[in-house]
Amino acid sequence: MERLESYLKEHFEVPAKNPSEEAQRRWRSAVGLVKNRRRRFRMVPDLDRRSQDEAQRQSVQEKIRLALVVQKAAITFIDGAKHKEYRITEDIIKAGFSINPDELASITSKHDVKALKMHGGADGISKKIRSSFDHGISANDLDTRQNIYGVNRYAEKPSRSFWMFVWDALQDMTLIILMVCALVSAVVGLASEGWPKGMYDGLGIILSILLVVMVTAISDYRQSLQFKELDNEKKKIFIHVTRDGSRQKISIYDLAVGDIVHLSIGDQVPADGLYIHGYSLLIDESSLSGESDPVYISQDKPFILAGTKVQDGSAKMMVTAVGMRTEWGRLMSTLSEGGEDETPLQVKLNGVATIIGKIGLMFATLTFVVLMVRFLIEKGLTVGLSKWYSTDALTIVNYFATAVTIIVVAVPEGLPLAVTLSLAFAMKQLMNDKALVRHLSACETMGSAGTICTDKTGTLTTNHMVVEKIWISEVSKSVTSNNSLEDLTSAISPATLSLLLQGIFENTSAELVTEKDGKQTVLGTPTERAIFEFGLKLEGLDAEDRTCTKVKVEPFNSVKKKMAVLVSLQNGMYRWFTKGASEIIVQMCDMMIDGDGNSVPLSEAQRKNILDTINSFASDALRTLCLAYKEVDDFEDDADSPTSGFTLVSIFGIKDPLRPGVKDAVKACMSAGIIVRMVTGDNINTAKAIAKECGILTDGDVAIEGPEFRSKSPEEMRDIIPKIRVMARSLPLDKHTLVTNLRGMFREVVAVTGDGTNDAPALHEADIGLAMGIAGTEVAKESADVIVLDDNFTTIINVARWGRAVYINIQKFVQFQLTVNIVALVINFVSACITGVGIIYSILSPMPVCHDHSISEFLDIPYRNDNILTLVSQGVLLSQRCNCCGSI
Ligand SMILES: Nc1ncnc2c1ncn2[C@@H]1O[C@H](COP(=O)(O)OP(=O)(O)OP(=O)(O)O)[C@@H](O)[C@H]1O
Ligand SMILES: [Ca+2]
């Protein structure tokens, strides 16, 4: 047993995530006896093909990179470069457009500034494609538009038909041998015993083979449909556009040339386009060109390519090319599906199948030898060995078939596939439970997770934020009802109020939009929406015209934890507004506004008072944000916003209630031995209050702030990490460090949740990365293994449950399958003298049984990372007790 164990360890062990190519090749070559390679390895990637694809992708990338660099150079230096002639066909004119689709596409893909100028810039082009920056396109002529300029889809490989699966199932070596046996048996039988009696044996074998083939093919086919469905689900991406004058969310597949797309941080650009308007838009082109330096996009360099990612900033873009007319489309269509990395369990079971297969082969040979010897002895004793009849040949063929049957029965080909089947089943169920599993192995790994590092905002809380308290010019007020709002407006001077409103409405990334049905809604992140809606409520009481223009915007990101805008005032001055994490903003302030709206120096007592107010808001589990401003005479174009000399305007306390069910989910985790840790960008007191509420933080646990955590030495980290339950004011990098250490120092299996672009490294590093489906950015989703569609912590627990369910069911399945195999083997061998050919056997056997009602119990079953070999021995024991034969 021990030797077997080390054999399995040596050859059949791969890490769950990003296995090395060497490990992947090793186990493949260690798999001996395989009856049907095509089927057995259907679910694992073809490594040669994968490296070919990778090479191809790199060469295409290199071409794009060169094209970009050379084109840029060519346009600057060779001015008179000849342009290809594009014709405007009848169809284009009839549809009311006046630019050729290929020409339009080439302007963006080749960064052709000259051609762009020739067509009158983005403005000129928008007229030629009947779009407008403010209204977008009209949805009425979408079809004509898509007819002429194409649809935003990439050429896909046709999916495999049912008959291809039948063909695959027929590639089984043992089945082929049996078919030959059947033919021989039929021919010889016909010759010696005549029609129809002589046919029976052969026909029997053929029918059984057909049955096995059909059952196999049907199950494989159904599974492939299921995977396809999940695959389509993965590709569903939505994006904001302006169409018919209103902002709406559409699938990227419905995007058409002329659409005005709103891009924000973390988005993947869905089509080629021209930049119209925006703020510090930074684009990461590495997915396309391999070039790792991000580029700033502006009016002078307005070309944005599909497949690139928005690293910072926000912008509006007009689509100029979609689908296969973009470089990205071409790149995507050259790639075949590389295949999903195999899961550790799959690999291990391949090892087990190999061992059993070898035993089976031994038994088969032995059986054949025993049968032959017996036959020869009997023959020698009766008719003598010199006389041979055709019935003898028939007997030998039948013996041979029996031996082959033993192999059919003994090699548990279904074992590795059962993992896939079981995981696929769990994936489907999880899909209904609002978790989209992107990688099969995640489901399996999740079952063994020992730690979950979770976000706070939106995961533990509902993300429906409302401003509940405000502090302004030294008065702190609760503002949940209309009365209290009136109280507020009467307590502060009009000048103060107008400053507050300006700060709210200028310094925001939220937007008031009119939807298709004429309703007005506020778009933006929940925090932004809360403050904006609060502003709207206030404004209703005191309508104020806002007469300043935005000059510069520094969008919010979770590293800086603040955002800033610069507005120009009517008196020729400029004013910076900033808002963000309370402690950070307060540090930047040395003044505050008083009741009359004047800026007065901040005394130490007042500063202390302010910090106390922040803490008291935070202890009520409110999210705190500060708003401040600073007036300046002038500004530099590429300088960042100032970091000192601000005047504090107000502190907001925003309520974000706990999600229902989170408390129970945390409890369930605890009793299952999974530790929940909260890693949040929010204030430590807010974090602590929420953590206590949902049971994550109890007495004796540690809550720490990101900066303090960062400054710890490795030894101190080793001490403190197991105790950390809450990490507040963390940077995305802190999350990454925590995960790396938990995995490295403590060998824990770590699940991590994340939503931001900056969370991507931690999601990637974790054993299981879970991205938020609603609040999460495309970049985060791409690095994750599971997408939590409803952003709910309870869903994460369901993933863990299913992970365990899968493991436990596979345990059961292994036991069952081995019992069947071993019993069949023994019976076949023992009854070697009887030439019965029975091959009615397949993975008909247990479709892993996990029903909804039982799933909740799985977390209660203590998780044991049992060695598969323990299972094998259990299986053997079980088979000794079992006196029924399931297969013959
Ligand atoms: N739009 C915004 N403008 C300015 N400041 C903001 C904005 N959104 C959040 N903040 C501030 O930045 C802080 C950190 O936000 P961050 O996105 O890093 O984490 P989070 O989303 O609050 O927490 P979690 O990591 O739990 O989701 C918040 O606590 C808040 O004070
Ligand atoms: Ca976050």
Side-chain angles (χ1 to χ4, degrees):
M1 264 307 164
E2 253 165 42
R3 266 186 46 210
L4 285 182
E5 225 162 89
S6 65
Y7 168 78
L8 274 186
K9 226 187 171 83
E10 188 183 334
H11 298 282
F12 294 97
E13 198 149 270
V14 293
K17 228 173 150 176
N18 315 321
S20 70
E21 193 173 323
E22 189 263 324
Q24 283 179 309
R25 286 198 189 276
R26 174 157 35 89
W27 81 262
R28 280 176 181 70
S29 63
V31 172
L33 200 69
V34 180
K35 295 193 299 178
N36 186 346
R37 260 178 196 280
R38 263 174 93 145
R39 184 157 179 267
R40 171 87 82 95
F41 295 130
R42 180 162 56 85
M43 285 311 191
V44 298
D46 180 338
L47 293 179
D48 295 327
R49 179 83 162 277
R50 191 186 260 188
S51 54
Q52 268 172 24
D53 281 352
E54 179 58 26
Q56 193 178 357
R57 191 178 64 85
Q58 272 172 6
S59 85
V60 176
Q61 269 191 347
E62 182 58 22
K63 258 189 228 146
I64 296 176
R65 199 182 66 82
L66 276 180
L68 290 185
V69 175
V70 173
Q71 271 299 325
K72 277 177 201 156
I75 284 156
T76 352
F77 296 115
I78 318 164
D79 212 15
K82 268 197 200 126
H83 282 287
K84 205 173 141 190
E85 281 295 322
Y86 292 99
R87 274 183 350 104
I88 298 175
T89 60
E90 281 290 307
D91 290 346
I92 301 177
I93 296 169
K94 234 202 272 150
F97 302 116
S98 41
I99 186 165
N100 177 295
D102 293 316
E103 179 174 14
L104 185 57
S106 85
I107 291 177
T108 327
S109 67
K110 294 191 175 146
H111 287 28
D112 195 340
V113 182
K114 223 177 135 211
L116 180 64
K117 234 183 225 153
M118 206 179 77
H119 287 284
D123 211 23
I125 287 186
S126 80
K127 296 201 177 81
K128 293 190 174 182
I129 51 175
R130 291 204 283 114
S131 174
S132 96
F133 294 168
D134 294 326
H135 280 76
I137 59 170
S138 141
N140 295 332
D141 65 353
L142 198 62
D143 286 342
T144 355
R145 200 174 276 278
Q146 289 185 331
N147 271 341
I148 304 230
Y149 291 101
V151 281
N152 198 24
R153 279 183 186 274
Y154 315 123
E156 272 177 41
K157 293 216 164 58
S159 54
R160 306 179 74 211
S161 72
F162 174 68
W163 296 109
M164 291 175 87
F165 286 94
V166 174
W167 177 245
D168 271 3
L170 275 171
Q171 306 297 305
D172 193 314
M173 257 258 296
T174 46
L175 290 188
I176 294 172
I177 298 177
L178 281 178
M179 269 188 272
V180 174
C181 289
L183 273 185
V184 174
S185 156
V187 171
V188 178
L190 271 184
S192 57
E193 291 175 42
W195 173 265
K197 200 166 163 270
M199 285 290 287
Y200 289 163
D201 273 356
L203 222 59
I205 303 180
I206 290 194
L207 280 181
S208 332
I209 291 173
L210 283 185
L211 191 71
V212 170
V213 167
M214 286 319 269
V215 169
T216 312
I218 290 172
S219 116
D220 289 357
Y221 180 62
R222 277 187 38 199
Q223 201 189 328
S224 85
L225 289 185
Q226 211 184 79
F227 275 115
K228 204 172 155 73
E229 205 177 295
L230 282 168
D231 220 41
N232 287 338
E233 207 63 44
K234 272 188 234 170
K235 288 185 192 147
K236 269 191 200 156
I237 300 175
F238 290 86
I239 188 119
H240 280 279
V241 297
T242 299
R243 255 189 206 176
D244 293 322
S246 68
R247 189 147 158 183
Q248 37 193 288
K249 216 170 170 184
I250 60 164
S251 155
I252 57 165
Y253 293 135
D254 297 333
L255 214 56
V257 165
D259 259 324
I260 306 296
V261 176
H262 299 256
L263 295 174
S264 56
I265 183 166
D267 281 342
Q268 178 165 7
V269 180
D272 281 3
L274 292 172
Y275 172 94
I276 303 168
H277 175 77
Y279 303 106
S280 37
L281 183 67
L282 191 63
I283 296 275
D284 169 12
E285 288 185 345
S286 60
S287 54
L288 204 58
S289 65
E291 203 72 50
S292 61
D293 286 340
V295 285
Y296 273 105
I297 304 286
S298 62
Q299 239 91 29
D300 316 329
K301 273 198 295 178
F303 308 106
I304 309 177
L305 298 179
T308 57
K309 287 165 192 142
V310 182
Q311 206 169 64
D312 207 356
S314 61
K316 281 206 280 188
M317 165 187 114
M318 179 173 68
V319 176
T320 56
V322 291
M324 292 303 288
R325 281 208 173 85
T326 65
E327 289 296 347
W328 183 247
R330 267 166 249 160
L331 189 66
M332 292 309 276
S333 65
T334 54
L335 297 184
S336 61
E337 297 276 307
E340 173 94 32
D341 275 343
E342 55 270 9
T343 77
L345 206 53
Q346 249 172 354
V347 175
K348 258 189 203 156
L349 288 183
N350 262 304
V352 174
T354 302
I355 297 173
I356 310 239
K358 282 182 184 159
I359 300 174
L361 187 64
M362 212 180 67
F363 264 83
T365 322
L366 206 63
T367 311
F368 188 65
V369 171
V370 168
L371 283 172
M372 278 308 285
V373 169
R374 222 196 56 168
F375 170 72
L376 290 178
I377 292 174
E378 264 178 17
K379 194 175 166 67
L381 290 179
T382 51
V383 285
L385 287 178
S386 49
K387 287 205 186 89
W388 287 85
Y389 307 102
S390 57
T391 45
D392 293 338
L394 198 60
T395 317
I396 294 177
V397 169
N398 276 343
Y399 287 167
F400 186 67
T402 309
V404 176
T405 310
I406 289 185
I407 302 180
V408 175
V409 174
V411 180
E413 288 269 286
L415 217 49
L417 276 176
V419 183
T420 324
L421 232 65
S422 191
L423 288 174
F425 181 70
M427 266 165 97
K428 196 162 167 225
Q429 297 300 315
L430 276 170
M431 191 68 224
N432 299 337
D433 283 350
K434 298 272 174 280
L436 172 63
V437 180
R438 292 184 72 237
H439 301 138
L440 264 188
S441 59
C443 208
E444 190 183 299
T445 324
M446 193 66 195
S448 54
T451 285
I452 300 178
C453 298
T454 173
D455 263 2
K456 173 180 73 67
T457 316
T459 313
L460 297 170
T461 63
T462 55
N463 229 358
H464 292 302
M465 301 196 195
V466 185
V467 175
E468 193 171 277
K469 284 188 183 166
I470 185 171
W471 175 99
I472 186 163
S473 52
E474 294 200 275
V475 278
S476 167
K477 276 225 164 351
S478 161
V479 287
T480 35
S481 69
N482 270 348
N483 283 349
S484 51
L485 278 180
E486 267 165 31
D487 275 0
L488 178 71
T489 38
S490 55
I492 55 177
S493 71
T496 316
L497 184 64
S498 111
L499 204 58
L500 175 67
L501 287 175
Q502 205 177 42
I504 290 176
F505 289 119
E506 297 302 331
N507 186 14
T508 183
S509 59
E511 233 178 300
L512 191 64
V513 295
T514 319
E515 286 192 47
K516 259 197 255 168
D517 50 8
K519 251 197 348 216
Q520 291 205 315
T521 42
V522 182
L523 283 183
T525 64
T527 313
E528 294 279 6
R529 274 211 315 263
I531 295 179
F532 199 92
E533 277 162 5
F534 171 70
L536 285 179
K537 274 202 261 171
L538 267 186
E539 198 188 31
L541 299 166
D542 176 29
E544 163 87 9
D545 64 327
R546 306 193 294 269
T547 47
C548 48
T549 39
K550 261 189 230 185
V551 184
K552 239 175 119 171
V553 175
E554 272 177 21
F556 171 80
N557 74 37
S558 36
V559 175
K560 291 183 299 189
K561 299 203 194 308
K562 60 174 183 170
M563 72 172 288
V565 294
L566 181 70
V567 295
S568 73
L569 304 174
Q570 276 163 332
N571 61 6
M573 295 273 281
Y574 296 95
R575 188 179 283 162
W576 277 106
F577 276 108
T578 183
K579 80 170 193 296
S582 38
E583 307 93 277
I584 296 175
I585 302 293
V586 170
Q587 251 175 28
M588 291 164 34
C589 294
D590 46 23
M591 297 201 269
M592 59 173 273
I593 46 168
D594 64 5
D596 303 323
N598 300 320
S599 177
V600 292
L602 203 59
S603 71
E604 271 317 301
Q606 278 164 330
R607 184 182 290 274
K608 187 174 170 299
N609 186 4
I610 288 168
L611 291 176
D612 285 349
T613 309
I614 293 172
N615 281 344
S616 82
F617 282 8
S619 308
D620 286 347
L622 298 180
R623 187 180 179 80
T624 58
L625 245 80
C626 284
L627 175 68
Y629 79 97
K630 177 183 186 171
E631 260 163 41
V632 288
D633 313 325
D634 206 2
F635 70 96
E636 271 174 59
D637 249 336
D638 23 72
D640 284 341
S641 62
T643 52
S644 63
F646 276 88
T647 305
L648 185 66
V649 180
S650 68
I651 309 170
F652 300 102
I654 303 170
K655 176 119 192 123
D656 184 12
L658 213 61
R659 270 180 196 273
V662 160
K663 239 172 156 170
D664 294 333
V666 171
K667 214 187 259 165
C669 276
M670 301 278 187
S671 58
I674 303 173
I675 299 175
V676 184
R677 299 170 209 266
M678 176 203 279
V679 184
T680 175
D682 219 332
N683 177 290
I684 185 145
N685 290 319
T686 315
K688 269 162 116 176
I690 299 266
K692 274 190 194 136
E693 216 174 305
C694 60
I696 292 178
L697 190 72
T698 47
D699 296 335
D701 295 334
V702 171
I704 194 171
E705 280 193 315
E708 193 189 337
F709 175 75
R710 240 167 286 151
S711 64
K712 294 242 181 279
S713 68
E715 290 76 43
E716 287 171 315
M717 286 224 183
R718 184 181 287 277
D719 261 2
I720 198 158
I721 283 178
K723 287 183 241 150
I724 294 180
R725 289 294 182 278
V726 172
M727 185 145 82
R729 283 290 180 240
S730 63
L731 296 185
L733 189 67
D734 300 332
K735 209 183 227 178
H736 185 254
T737 315
L738 182 69
V739 174
T740 321
N741 284 336
L742 277 170
R743 294 191 67 211
M745 283 182 193
F746 303 96
R747 302 255 155 248
E748 290 233 37
V749 178
V750 184
V752 167
T753 70
D755 48 10
T757 314
N758 299 315
D759 289 332
L763 289 173
H764 197 78
E765 169 73 26
D767 295 289
I768 314 105
L770 302 134
M772 297 299 139
I774 303 169
T777 59
E778 268 329 299
V779 174
K781 288 182 197 170
E782 214 174 64
S783 324
D785 305 297
V786 178
I787 298 174
V788 183
L789 296 171
D790 59 356
D791 288 17
N792 191 347
F793 187 73
T794 323
T795 308
I796 299 172
I797 305 306
N798 272 340
V799 183
R801 283 207 178 103
W802 276 105
R804 292 200 180 179
V806 164
Y807 204 90
I808 290 162
N809 278 296
I810 287 172
Q811 265 182 344
K812 285 189 190 145
F813 179 66
V814 170
Q815 282 173 0
F816 177 86
Q817 172 101 60
L818 291 181
T819 313
V820 167
N821 283 338
I822 290 166
V823 170
L825 206 66
V826 172
I827 289 190
N828 253 303
F829 180 65
V830 170
S831 61
C833 19
I834 310 156
T835 34
V837 181
I839 52 163
I840 314 230
Y841 162 84
S842 74
I843 52 159
L844 272 181
S845 35
M847 178 60 208
V849 269
C850 9
H851 302 294
D852 262 343
H853 60 267
S854 65
I855 187 73
S856 59
E857 295 154 20
F858 277 105
L859 215 54
D860 304 333
I861 303 172
Y863 177 80
R864 288 177 307 155
N865 197 350
D866 269 349
N867 198 303
I868 296 289
L869 269 179
T870 339
L871 300 179
V872 178
S873 56
Q874 278 170 359
V876 174
L877 281 176
L878 207 74
S879 69
Q880 283 168 350
R881 269 180 266 136
C882 187
N883 51 13
C884 71
C885 167
S887 84
I888 294 194

